[in-house]
Coordinates of all heavy atoms in Angstrom, one line a residue:
M1 N 8.4 -15.8 -7.7 CA 7.2 -15.1 -7.9 C 7.3 -13.6 -7.7 O 8.1 -13.2 -6.9 CB 6.1 -15.7 -7.0 CG 5.7 -17.1 -7.3 SD 5.0 -17.3 -8.9 CE 3.7 -18.3 -8.6
I2 N 6.5 -12.9 -8.5 CA 6.5 -11.4 -8.4 C 5.7 -11.0 -7.2 O 4.5 -11.4 -7.1 CB 6.0 -10.8 -9.7 CG1 6.9 -11.2 -10.8 CG2 5.9 -9.3 -9.6 CD1 6.4 -10.8 -12.2
G3 N 6.2 -10.1 -6.4 CA 5.5 -9.7 -5.2 C 4.8 -8.4 -5.4 O 4.8 -7.8 -6.5
G4 N 4.1 -7.9 -4.4 CA 3.3 -6.7 -4.5 C 4.1 -5.5 -4.5 O 5.3 -5.5 -4.2
V5 N 3.4 -4.4 -4.6 CA 4.1 -3.1 -4.6 C 3.7 -2.4 -3.3 O 2.6 -2.3 -2.9 CB 3.6 -2.2 -5.8 CG1 4.2 -0.8 -5.7 CG2 4.0 -2.8 -7.1
G6 N 4.7 -1.8 -2.6 CA 4.5 -1.1 -1.4 C 3.9 0.3 -1.7 O 3.8 0.7 -2.8
T7 N 3.4 0.9 -0.7 CA 2.7 2.2 -0.9 C 3.6 3.3 -0.3 O 4.4 3.1 0.6 CB 1.3 2.2 -0.3 OG1 1.4 1.9 1.1 CG2 0.4 1.2 -1.0
I8 N 3.3 4.5 -0.7 CA 4.0 5.7 -0.2 C 3.0 6.6 0.5 O 1.9 6.8 -0.1 CB 4.7 6.4 -1.3 CG1 5.7 5.6 -2.0 CG2 5.4 7.7 -0.8 CD1 6.4 6.2 -3.2
Q9 N 3.3 7.1 1.6 CA 2.4 8.0 2.3 C 3.0 9.4 2.2 O 4.2 9.7 2.5 CB 2.4 7.6 3.8 CG 1.6 8.5 4.6 CD 1.5 8.0 6.1 OE1 2.2 7.0 6.4 NE2 0.8 8.7 6.9
F10 N 2.1 10.4 1.9 CA 2.5 11.8 1.9 C 2.0 12.5 3.1 O 0.8 12.4 3.4 CB 2.0 12.5 0.6 CG 2.6 11.9 -0.6 CD1 2.0 11.0 -1.4 CD2 3.8 12.4 -1.1 CE1 2.5 10.5 -2.5 CE2 4.4 11.9 -2.2 CZ 3.8 10.9 -3.0
K11 N 2.9 13.2 3.8 CA 2.5 13.9 5.0 C 2.9 15.4 4.7 O 4.0 15.7 4.2 CB 3.2 13.4 6.2 CG 2.8 12.1 6.7 CD 3.5 11.7 7.9 CE 3.1 10.3 8.4 NZ 3.9 9.9 9.6
T12 N 2.1 16.3 5.1 CA 2.4 17.7 5.0 C 3.4 18.1 6.1 O 3.1 17.9 7.3 CB 1.1 18.6 5.0 OG1 0.2 18.1 4.1 CG2 1.4 20.0 4.8
A13 N 4.5 18.7 5.7 CA 5.5 19.2 6.7 C 5.0 20.5 7.3 O 4.1 21.1 6.8 CB 6.8 19.3 6.0
V14 N 5.8 21.0 8.2 CA 5.5 22.2 8.9 C 5.4 23.4 7.9 O 4.5 24.3 8.0 CB 6.5 22.5 10.0 CG1 6.2 23.8 10.7 CG2 6.5 21.4 11.0
D15 N 6.3 23.4 7.0 CA 6.4 24.6 6.0 C 5.4 24.4 4.9 O 5.4 25.2 4.0 CB 7.8 24.8 5.5 CG 8.3 23.6 4.8 OD1 7.6 22.6 4.7 OD2 9.4 23.7 4.2
G16 N 4.6 23.4 4.8 CA 3.6 23.2 3.8 C 4.1 22.3 2.7 O 3.3 21.9 1.8
A17 N 5.3 21.9 2.7 CA 5.8 21.0 1.6 C 5.4 19.6 2.0 O 5.2 19.2 3.2 CB 7.3 21.1 1.5
E18 N 5.3 18.7 1.0 CA 5.0 17.3 1.3 C 6.2 16.5 1.3 O 7.2 16.7 0.6 CB 4.1 16.8 0.2 CG 2.7 17.4 0.2 CD 1.7 16.7 -0.7 OE1 2.2 16.0 -1.6 OE2 0.5 16.9 -0.5
T19 N 6.3 15.5 2.3 CA 7.4 14.6 2.4 C 6.8 13.2 2.2 O 5.6 12.9 2.5 CB 8.1 14.7 3.8 OG1 7.1 14.5 4.8 CG2 8.7 16.1 3.9
A20 N 7.6 12.3 1.7 CA 7.1 10.9 1.5 C 7.6 10.0 2.6 O 8.6 10.1 3.2 CB 7.7 10.4 0.2
S21 N 6.7 9.0 2.9 CA 7.0 8.0 3.9 C 6.2 6.7 3.5 O 5.4 6.8 2.6 CB 6.6 8.4 5.3 OG 5.2 8.7 5.4
P22 N 6.5 5.5 4.1 CA 6.0 4.3 3.6 C 4.5 4.0 3.4 O 4.2 3.1 2.6 CB 6.6 3.2 4.5 CG 7.7 3.9 5.2 CD 7.4 5.4 5.2
N23 N 3.6 4.7 4.0 CA 2.2 4.4 3.8 C 1.5 5.5 3.1 O 1.7 6.6 3.4 CB 1.5 4.1 5.2 CG 2.0 2.9 5.9 OD1 2.3 1.9 5.2 ND2 2.2 2.9 7.1
L24 N 0.6 5.2 2.2 CA 0.0 6.1 1.3 C -1.3 6.7 1.9 O -2.0 6.0 2.6 CB -0.3 5.4 0.0 CG -0.9 6.3 -1.2 CD1 0.1 7.4 -1.5 CD2 -1.2 5.4 -2.4
L25 N -1.5 8.0 1.6 CA -2.8 8.6 1.9 C -3.1 8.9 3.4 O -4.2 9.0 3.8 CB -3.9 7.8 1.3 CG -3.9 7.7 -0.2 CD1 -5.0 6.8 -0.7 CD2 -3.9 9.0 -0.9
Q26 N -2.1 9.1 4.2 CA -2.4 9.6 5.6 C -2.4 11.1 5.5 O -1.3 11.6 5.2 CB -1.4 9.0 6.6 CG -1.8 9.5 8.0 CD -0.8 8.9 9.0 OE1 -0.1 8.0 8.7 NE2 -1.0 9.3 10.2
S27 N -3.5 11.7 5.6 CA -3.6 13.1 5.3 C -3.0 14.0 6.5 O -3.1 13.6 7.6 CB -5.0 13.6 5.1 OG -5.8 13.3 6.3
G28 N -2.4 15.1 6.1 CA -1.9 16.0 7.0 C -2.8 17.3 7.0 O -3.9 17.3 6.5
A29 N -2.3 18.4 7.5 CA -3.0 19.6 7.5 C -3.0 20.2 6.1 O -2.0 20.1 5.4 CB -2.4 20.6 8.4
G30 N -4.1 20.7 5.6 CA -4.2 21.3 4.3 C -5.7 21.6 4.0 O -6.6 21.2 4.7
T31 N -5.9 22.1 2.8 CA -7.3 22.4 2.4 C -7.9 21.1 1.9 O -7.3 20.2 1.5 CB -7.3 23.5 1.3 OG1 -6.6 22.9 0.1 CG2 -6.6 24.8 1.7
Q32 N -9.2 21.1 1.9 CA -10.0 19.9 1.5 C -9.7 19.7 0.0 O -9.6 18.5 -0.4 CB -11.5 20.1 1.8 CG -12.3 19.0 1.5 CD -12.1 17.8 2.4 OE1 -11.3 17.8 3.3 NE2 -12.9 16.8 2.3
A33 N -9.7 20.7 -0.8 CA -9.5 20.5 -2.3 C -8.2 19.9 -2.6 O -8.1 19.0 -3.4 CB -9.7 21.8 -3.0
S34 N -7.1 20.4 -1.9 CA -5.8 19.9 -2.2 C -5.6 18.4 -1.7 O -4.9 17.6 -2.4 CB -4.7 20.7 -1.6 OG -4.7 20.7 -0.2
E35 N -6.3 18.1 -0.6 CA -6.2 16.7 -0.1 C -6.9 15.8 -1.1 O -6.5 14.7 -1.3 CB -6.8 16.6 1.3 CG -5.9 17.2 2.3 CD -6.5 17.1 3.7 OE1 -7.6 16.5 3.9 OE2 -5.9 17.7 4.6
S36 N -8.1 16.2 -1.6 CA -8.8 15.3 -2.5 C -8.1 15.1 -3.8 O -8.0 14.0 -4.4 CB -10.2 15.8 -2.7 OG -10.3 16.7 -3.8
I37 N -7.4 16.1 -4.3 CA -6.6 16.0 -5.5 C -5.4 15.1 -5.3 O -5.1 14.2 -6.1 CB -6.2 17.4 -6.0 CG1 -7.4 18.2 -6.5 CG2 -5.1 17.3 -7.1 CD1 -7.1 19.6 -6.9
G38 N -4.7 15.3 -4.2 CA -3.6 14.5 -3.9 C -3.9 13.0 -3.7 O -3.2 12.2 -4.1
S39 N -5.0 12.8 -3.0 CA -5.4 11.4 -2.7 C -5.9 10.7 -4.0 O -5.6 9.5 -4.2 CB -6.4 11.3 -1.6 OG -7.6 11.9 -1.9
S40 N -6.6 11.4 -4.9 CA -7.0 10.8 -6.1 C -5.8 10.5 -7.0 O -5.8 9.4 -7.7 CB -8.1 11.7 -6.8 OG -7.5 12.9 -7.3
F41 N -4.9 11.3 -7.1 CA -3.7 11.1 -7.9 C -2.9 9.9 -7.3 O -2.4 9.0 -8.0 CB -2.8 12.3 -7.9 CG -1.5 12.1 -8.7 CD1 -1.5 12.0 -10.1 CD2 -0.3 12.0 -8.1 CE1 -0.4 11.7 -10.8 CE2 0.9 11.8 -8.8 CZ 0.8 11.7 -10.2
A42 N -2.8 9.9 -5.9 CA -2.1 8.8 -5.3 C -2.8 7.5 -5.5 O -2.2 6.4 -5.7 CB -2.0 9.1 -3.8
D43 N -4.2 7.5 -5.5 CA -5.0 6.3 -5.7 C -4.7 5.8 -7.1 O -4.6 4.6 -7.4 CB -6.5 6.6 -5.5 CG -6.8 6.7 -4.1 OD1 -6.1 6.2 -3.2 OD2 -7.9 7.3 -3.8
L44 N -4.7 6.8 -8.1 CA -4.5 6.4 -9.5 C -3.1 5.7 -9.6 O -3.0 4.7 -10.3 CB -4.5 7.7 -10.3 CG -4.3 7.5 -11.8 CD1 -5.4 6.7 -12.4 CD2 -4.1 8.8 -12.5
L45 N -2.1 6.3 -9.0 CA -0.7 5.6 -9.1 C -0.7 4.2 -8.5 O -0.1 3.3 -9.0 CB 0.3 6.5 -8.5 CG 0.7 7.8 -9.3 CD1 1.7 8.6 -8.5 CD2 1.2 7.4 -10.7
S46 N -1.4 4.1 -7.3 CA -1.5 2.9 -6.6 C -2.2 1.8 -7.5 O -1.8 0.7 -7.6 CB -2.2 3.0 -5.3 OG -2.3 1.8 -4.6
Q47 N -3.3 2.2 -8.1 CA -4.0 1.3 -8.9 C -3.2 0.9 -10.1 O -3.3 -0.3 -10.6 CB -5.4 1.9 -9.3 CG -6.4 2.1 -8.2 CD -7.6 2.9 -8.6 OE1 -7.7 3.3 -9.8 NE2 -8.5 3.1 -7.7
A48 N -2.5 1.8 -10.7 CA -1.7 1.5 -11.9 C -0.6 0.5 -11.5 O -0.3 -0.4 -12.3 CB -1.1 2.8 -12.5
A49 N 0.0 0.7 -10.3 CA 1.1 -0.2 -9.9 C 0.5 -1.6 -9.6 O 1.1 -2.6 -10.0 CB 1.8 0.4 -8.6
T50 N -0.6 -1.6 -9.0 CA -1.3 -2.9 -8.7 C -1.6 -3.7 -10.0 O -1.4 -4.9 -10.1 CB -2.5 -2.7 -7.9 OG1 -2.1 -2.1 -6.6 CG2 -3.2 -4.0 -7.5
K51 N -2.1 -2.9 -11.0 CA -2.5 -3.5 -12.3 C -1.3 -4.1 -13.0 O -1.3 -5.2 -13.6 CB -3.2 -2.5 -13.1 CG -3.7 -3.1 -14.4 CD -4.5 -2.1 -15.2 CE -5.0 -2.7 -16.5 NZ -5.8 -1.7 -17.3
T52 N -0.2 -3.3 -12.9 CA 1.1 -3.8 -13.5 C 1.6 -5.1 -12.9 O 2.0 -6.0 -13.5 CB 2.2 -2.7 -13.4 OG1 1.7 -1.5 -14.1 CG2 3.5 -3.2 -14.0
V53 N 1.6 -5.1 -11.5 CA 2.0 -6.3 -10.8 C 1.1 -7.5 -11.2 O 1.6 -8.6 -11.4 CB 2.0 -6.1 -9.3 CG1 2.2 -7.4 -8.5 CG2 3.1 -5.1 -8.9
N54 N -0.2 -7.3 -11.3 CA -1.1 -8.4 -11.6 C -0.9 -8.9 -13.0 O -0.9 -10.1 -13.3 CB -2.6 -7.9 -11.5 CG -3.0 -7.7 -10.1 OD1 -2.4 -8.2 -9.1 ND2 -4.0 -6.9 -9.8
T55 N -0.5 -7.9 -14.0 CA -0.2 -8.3 -15.3 C 1.0 -9.2 -15.4 O 1.1 -10.2 -16.1 CB -0.1 -7.1 -16.2 OG1 -1.3 -6.3 -16.2 CG2 0.2 -7.5 -17.7
L56 N 2.1 -8.7 -14.6 CA 3.3 -9.5 -14.6 C 3.1 -10.9 -14.0 O 3.7 -11.9 -14.4 CB 4.4 -8.7 -13.8 CG 4.9 -7.4 -14.4 CD1 5.7 -6.6 -13.4 CD2 5.6 -7.7 -15.7
Q57 N 2.3 -11.0 -12.9 CA 2.0 -12.2 -12.3 C 1.2 -13.2 -13.2 O 1.5 -14.4 -13.3 CB 1.2 -12.1 -11.0 CG 2.1 -11.5 -9.9 CD 1.3 -11.2 -8.6 OE1 0.0 -11.0 -8.7 NE2 2.0 -11.1 -7.5
G58 N 0.3 -12.6 -14.0 CA -0.5 -13.4 -15.0 C 0.4 -13.9 -16.1 O 0.3 -15.1 -16.5
A59 N 1.4 -13.1 -16.5 CA 2.3 -13.6 -17.5 C 3.2 -14.7 -17.0 O 3.5 -15.7 -17.7 CB 3.2 -12.5 -18.1
E60 N 3.6 -14.5 -15.7 CA 4.4 -15.6 -15.1 C 3.6 -16.9 -15.0 O 4.2 -18.0 -15.3 CB 4.8 -15.1 -13.7 CG 5.8 -16.0 -13.0 CD 6.2 -15.4 -11.6 OE1 5.4 -14.7 -11.0 OE2 7.3 -15.8 -11.2
Q61 N 2.4 -16.8 -14.6 CA 1.5 -18.0 -14.4 C 1.3 -18.7 -15.8 O 1.3 -19.9 -15.9 CB 0.2 -17.6 -13.8 CG 0.3 -17.3 -12.3 CD 0.8 -18.4 -11.5 OE1 0.5 -19.6 -11.7 NE2 1.7 -18.1 -10.5
M62 N 1.1 -17.8 -16.8 CA 0.9 -18.4 -18.2 C 2.2 -19.1 -18.7 O 2.1 -20.2 -19.3 CB 0.5 -17.2 -19.1 CG 0.1 -17.7 -20.5 SD -1.4 -18.7 -20.5 CE -2.6 -17.6 -20.0
S63 N 3.3 -18.6 -18.3 CA 4.6 -19.2 -18.7 C 4.8 -20.5 -18.0 O 5.2 -21.5 -18.6 CB 5.8 -18.3 -18.4 OG 5.7 -17.1 -19.1
I64 N 4.4 -20.6 -16.7 CA 4.5 -21.8 -16.0 C 3.5 -22.9 -16.6 O 3.8 -24.0 -16.7 CB 4.2 -21.6 -14.5 CG1 5.3 -20.8 -13.9 CG2 4.0 -22.9 -13.7 CD1 5.1 -20.2 -12.5
Q65 N 2.3 -22.4 -16.9 CA 1.3 -23.3 -17.5 C 1.9 -23.9 -18.9 O 1.6 -25.0 -19.2 CB 0.0 -22.6 -17.8 CG -0.8 -22.4 -16.5 CD -2.1 -21.6 -16.8 OE1 -2.4 -21.3 -17.9 NE2 -2.8 -21.4 -15.7
A66 N 2.5 -23.0 -19.6 CA 3.1 -23.5 -20.9 C 4.2 -24.5 -20.7 O 4.3 -25.5 -21.5 CB 3.7 -22.3 -21.7
L67 N 5.0 -24.4 -19.6 CA 6.0 -25.3 -19.3 C 5.4 -26.7 -19.0 O 6.0 -27.7 -19.2 CB 6.9 -24.8 -18.2 CG 7.8 -23.7 -18.6 CD1 8.6 -23.2 -17.3 CD2 8.8 -24.1 -19.6
K68 N 4.2 -26.6 -18.4 CA 3.5 -27.9 -18.0 C 2.8 -28.5 -19.2 O 2.3 -29.6 -19.1 CB 2.5 -27.6 -16.9 CG 3.2 -27.2 -15.6 CD 2.1 -26.9 -14.5 CE 2.7 -26.5 -13.2 NZ 1.6 -26.1 -12.2
G69 N 2.7 -27.7 -20.3 CA 1.9 -28.1 -21.4 C 0.5 -27.8 -21.4 O -0.3 -28.3 -22.2
D70 N 0.0 -26.9 -20.5 CA -1.4 -26.6 -20.4 C -1.8 -25.3 -21.2 O -2.9 -24.9 -21.2 CB -1.7 -26.4 -18.9 CG -1.6 -27.7 -18.1 OD1 -1.7 -28.7 -18.7 OD2 -1.4 -27.6 -16.9
A71 N -0.8 -24.6 -21.7 CA -1.1 -23.3 -22.4 C -0.5 -23.3 -23.8 O 0.5 -23.9 -24.1 CB -0.6 -22.1 -21.6
D72 N -1.2 -22.6 -24.7 CA -0.7 -22.4 -26.1 C 0.4 -21.4 -26.1 O 0.4 -20.5 -25.3 CB -1.9 -22.0 -26.9 CG -1.6 -21.9 -28.4 OD1 -0.7 -22.7 -28.8 OD2 -2.3 -21.2 -29.1
T73 N 1.3 -21.5 -27.1 CA 2.4 -20.6 -27.3 C 1.8 -19.2 -27.5 O 2.4 -18.2 -27.0 CB 3.3 -21.0 -28.5 OG1 3.7 -22.4 -28.3 CG2 4.5 -20.1 -28.6
R74 N 0.8 -19.1 -28.3 CA 0.2 -17.7 -28.6 C -0.3 -17.1 -27.3 O -0.1 -15.9 -27.1 CB -0.9 -17.9 -29.6 CG -1.6 -16.5 -29.9 CD -2.7 -16.7 -30.9 NE -3.4 -15.5 -31.1 CZ -3.2 -14.6 -32.0 NH1 -2.2 -14.8 -32.9 NH2 -3.9 -13.5 -32.1
Q75 N -0.9 -17.8 -26.4 CA -1.3 -17.2 -25.1 C -0.2 -16.7 -24.3 O -0.2 -15.7 -23.7 CB -2.1 -18.3 -24.3 CG -3.4 -18.7 -24.9 CD -4.1 -19.9 -24.2 OE1 -3.3 -20.7 -23.7 NE2 -5.4 -19.9 -24.1
V76 N 0.9 -17.5 -24.3 CA 2.1 -17.1 -23.6 C 2.7 -15.8 -24.1 O 3.0 -14.9 -23.4 CB 3.2 -18.2 -23.5 CG1 4.4 -17.8 -22.9 CG2 2.6 -19.5 -22.8
V77 N 2.8 -15.8 -25.5 CA 3.4 -14.6 -26.1 C 2.5 -13.4 -25.8 O 3.0 -12.3 -25.5 CB 3.5 -14.8 -27.6 CG1 3.9 -13.5 -28.4 CG2 4.6 -15.9 -27.9
D78 N 1.2 -13.5 -25.9 CA 0.3 -12.4 -25.7 C 0.5 -11.9 -24.2 O 0.5 -10.7 -23.9 CB -1.2 -12.8 -25.9 CG -1.5 -12.9 -27.4 OD1 -0.7 -12.3 -28.2 OD2 -2.5 -13.5 -27.7
A79 N 0.5 -12.8 -23.3 CA 0.7 -12.5 -21.9 C 2.0 -11.8 -21.6 O 2.1 -10.8 -20.9 CB 0.5 -13.7 -21.0
V80 N 3.1 -12.3 -22.2 CA 4.4 -11.7 -22.0 C 4.5 -10.3 -22.6 O 5.1 -9.4 -22.0 CB 5.5 -12.7 -22.5 CG1 6.9 -12.0 -22.5 CG2 5.6 -13.9 -21.6
L81 N 4.0 -10.2 -23.8 CA 4.0 -8.9 -24.5 C 3.2 -7.8 -23.7 O 3.5 -6.7 -23.6 CB 3.5 -9.0 -25.9 CG 4.5 -9.7 -26.9 CD1 3.9 -9.8 -28.3 CD2 5.8 -8.9 -26.9
S82 N 2.0 -8.3 -23.1 CA 1.2 -7.4 -22.3 C 2.0 -7.0 -21.1 O 1.9 -5.8 -20.7 CB -0.1 -8.1 -22.0 OG -0.9 -7.3 -21.1
A83 N 2.6 -7.9 -20.4 CA 3.4 -7.6 -19.2 C 4.6 -6.7 -19.6 O 4.9 -5.7 -18.8 CB 4.0 -8.9 -18.6
Q84 N 5.2 -6.9 -20.7 CA 6.3 -6.0 -21.1 C 5.8 -4.6 -21.4 O 6.5 -3.6 -20.9 CB 7.0 -6.5 -22.4 CG 8.1 -5.7 -22.9 CD 8.7 -6.2 -24.2 OE1 8.1 -7.1 -24.9 NE2 9.8 -5.6 -24.6
Q85 N 4.7 -4.4 -22.0 CA 4.1 -3.1 -22.3 C 3.7 -2.4 -20.9 O 4.0 -1.2 -20.8 CB 2.9 -3.2 -23.2 CG 2.3 -1.9 -23.5 CD 1.1 -2.0 -24.5 OE1 0.6 -3.1 -24.6 NE2 0.7 -0.9 -25.1
A86 N 3.1 -3.2 -20.0 CA 2.8 -2.6 -18.7 C 4.0 -2.2 -17.9 O 4.0 -1.1 -17.3 CB 2.0 -3.6 -17.9
L87 N 5.1 -3.0 -18.0 CA 6.3 -2.6 -17.3 C 7.0 -1.4 -17.9 O 7.4 -0.5 -17.2 CB 7.2 -3.8 -17.3 CG 8.5 -3.6 -16.4 CD1 8.2 -3.4 -15.0 CD2 9.4 -4.9 -16.6
Q88 N 7.0 -1.3 -19.2 CA 7.6 -0.1 -19.9 C 6.8 1.1 -19.6 O 7.4 2.2 -19.4 CB 7.6 -0.4 -21.4 CG 8.7 -1.4 -21.8 CD 8.7 -1.6 -23.3 OE1 7.7 -1.3 -24.0 NE2 9.8 -2.2 -23.8
T89 N 5.5 1.0 -19.5 CA 4.6 2.2 -19.2 C 4.9 2.6 -17.7 O 5.1 3.8 -17.4 CB 3.1 1.8 -19.3 OG1 2.9 1.4 -20.7 CG2 2.3 3.0 -19.0
T90 N 5.0 1.7 -16.8 CA 5.3 2.0 -15.4 C 6.7 2.6 -15.3 O 6.8 3.6 -14.5 CB 5.2 0.7 -14.6 OG1 3.9 0.1 -14.7 CG2 5.5 1.0 -13.1
I91 N 7.7 2.2 -16.0 CA 9.0 2.7 -15.9 C 9.0 4.2 -16.5 O 9.6 5.1 -15.9 CB 10.0 1.9 -16.7 CG1 10.2 0.6 -15.9 CG2 11.3 2.6 -16.9 CD1 11.0 -0.5 -16.6
A92 N 8.2 4.4 -17.6 CA 8.1 5.7 -18.1 C 7.5 6.7 -17.2 O 7.9 7.9 -17.0 CB 7.4 5.7 -19.5
I93 N 6.4 6.2 -16.5 CA 5.8 7.1 -15.5 C 6.7 7.4 -14.3 O 6.8 8.5 -13.9 CB 4.5 6.4 -15.0 CG1 3.4 6.4 -16.1 CG2 3.9 7.1 -13.7 CD1 2.2 5.6 -15.8
R94 N 7.4 6.4 -13.9 CA 8.4 6.6 -12.8 C 9.4 7.6 -13.2 O 9.8 8.5 -12.5 CB 9.1 5.3 -12.4 CG 10.1 5.5 -11.3 CD 11.3 4.5 -11.3 NE 11.9 4.6 -12.6 CZ 12.8 3.7 -13.0 NH1 13.0 2.6 -12.3 NH2 13.4 3.8 -14.2
D95 N 10.0 7.5 -14.4 CA 11.0 8.4 -14.9 C 10.4 9.9 -15.0 O 11.1 10.8 -14.6 CB 11.5 8.0 -16.3 CG 12.3 6.7 -16.2 OD1 12.7 6.3 -15.1 OD2 12.5 6.1 -17.3
K96 N 9.2 10.0 -15.4 CA 8.6 11.4 -15.5 C 8.4 12.0 -14.1 O 8.6 13.2 -13.8 CB 7.3 11.3 -16.2 CG 7.4 11.1 -17.7 CD 8.0 12.3 -18.3 CE 8.0 12.1 -19.8 NZ 8.6 13.3 -20.5
V97 N 8.0 11.1 -13.1 CA 7.8 11.6 -11.7 C 9.1 12.0 -11.1 O 9.2 13.1 -10.5 CB 7.1 10.5 -10.9 CG1 7.1 10.9 -9.4 CG2 5.7 10.3 -11.3
V98 N 10.2 11.2 -11.3 CA 11.5 11.6 -10.8 C 12.0 12.8 -11.5 O 12.5 13.7 -10.8 CB 12.5 10.4 -11.0 CG1 13.9 10.8 -10.7 CG2 12.1 9.2 -10.1
S99 N 11.8 13.0 -12.8 CA 12.2 14.2 -13.5 C 11.5 15.4 -13.0 O 12.1 16.5 -12.8 CB 12.0 14.0 -15.0 OG 12.3 15.2 -15.7
A100 N 10.2 15.3 -12.7 CA 9.4 16.4 -12.2 C 9.9 16.8 -10.8 O 10.0 18.0 -10.5 CB 8.0 16.1 -12.2
Y101 N 10.2 15.8 -10.0 CA 10.7 16.0 -8.6 C 12.0 16.8 -8.7 O 12.2 17.7 -7.9 CB 10.8 14.7 -7.8 CG 11.5 14.9 -6.5 CD1 10.8 15.5 -5.4 CD2 12.8 14.6 -6.3 CE1 11.4 15.7 -4.2 CE2 13.4 14.8 -5.1 CZ 12.7 15.3 -4.1 OH 13.3 15.5 -2.9
L102 N 12.9 16.3 -9.5 CA 14.2 17.0 -9.6 C 14.1 18.4 -10.1 O 14.8 19.3 -9.6 CB 15.1 16.1 -10.5 CG 15.6 14.8 -10.0 CD1 16.4 14.0 -11.0 CD2 16.4 15.0 -8.7
E103 N 13.2 18.6 -11.0 CA 13.0 20.0 -11.6 C 12.4 20.9 -10.5 O 12.9 22.0 -10.3 CB 12.1 19.9 -12.8 CG 11.9 21.3 -13.4 CD 11.1 21.2 -14.7 OE1 11.1 20.1 -15.3 OE2 10.5 22.2 -15.1
I104 N 11.5 20.4 -9.7 CA 10.9 21.2 -8.6 C 11.9 21.4 -7.5 O 12.0 22.5 -7.0 CB 9.7 20.4 -8.0 CG1 8.5 20.5 -9.0 CG2 9.2 21.1 -6.7 CD1 7.3 19.6 -8.7
S105 N 12.8 20.4 -7.2 CA 13.8 20.6 -6.2 C 14.8 21.7 -6.6 O 15.5 22.3 -5.7 CB 14.4 19.3 -5.8 OG 15.3 18.9 -6.9
R106 N 15.0 21.9 -7.9 CA 16.0 22.9 -8.4 C 15.4 24.3 -8.4 O 16.2 25.3 -8.6 CB 16.5 22.5 -9.8 CG 17.5 21.4 -9.7 CD 18.1 21.2 -11.1 NE 17.6 19.8 -11.5 CZ 17.1 19.4 -12.6 NH1 17.0 20.3 -13.6 NH2 16.7 18.2 -12.8
M107 N 14.1 24.5 -8.2 CA 13.5 25.8 -8.2 C 14.0 26.6 -7.0 O 14.0 26.1 -5.9 CB 12.0 25.7 -8.2 CG 11.4 25.2 -9.5 SD 9.6 25.2 -9.3 CE 9.1 24.6 -10.9
S108 N 14.2 27.9 -7.2 CA 14.5 28.7 -6.1 C 13.3 29.3 -5.5 O 12.3 29.6 -6.2 CB 15.5 29.9 -6.6 OG 14.8 30.6 -7.5
I109 N 13.3 29.4 -4.2 CA 12.1 29.9 -3.5 C 12.3 31.4 -3.2 O 13.2 31.9 -2.9 CB 11.8 29.1 -2.2 CG1 11.6 27.7 -2.6 CG2 10.7 29.7 -1.4 CD1 11.4 26.7 -1.4

């Protein structure tokens, strides 16, 4: 079975840069506006990951029902294609985030 997605926690370091750790949205020192922007973006990513996992689990359940003879082939194909699209979207988002992080890390201060 497909499991859930863990969360990432951003904490503000001493120099003002953000560092990642396993729990999401534990706020550090910073302005109110930047914290609300950061937490809403983090919430958005968390919701997208949760939705992707739910879609994958639904496709898995539909496939199991088809093996038992309880689901139509068309339903299985629709569920699997939806899961494939959700996974490809998630991978594309991950690639963009990693690319942005690498670009920012190469900037000179």
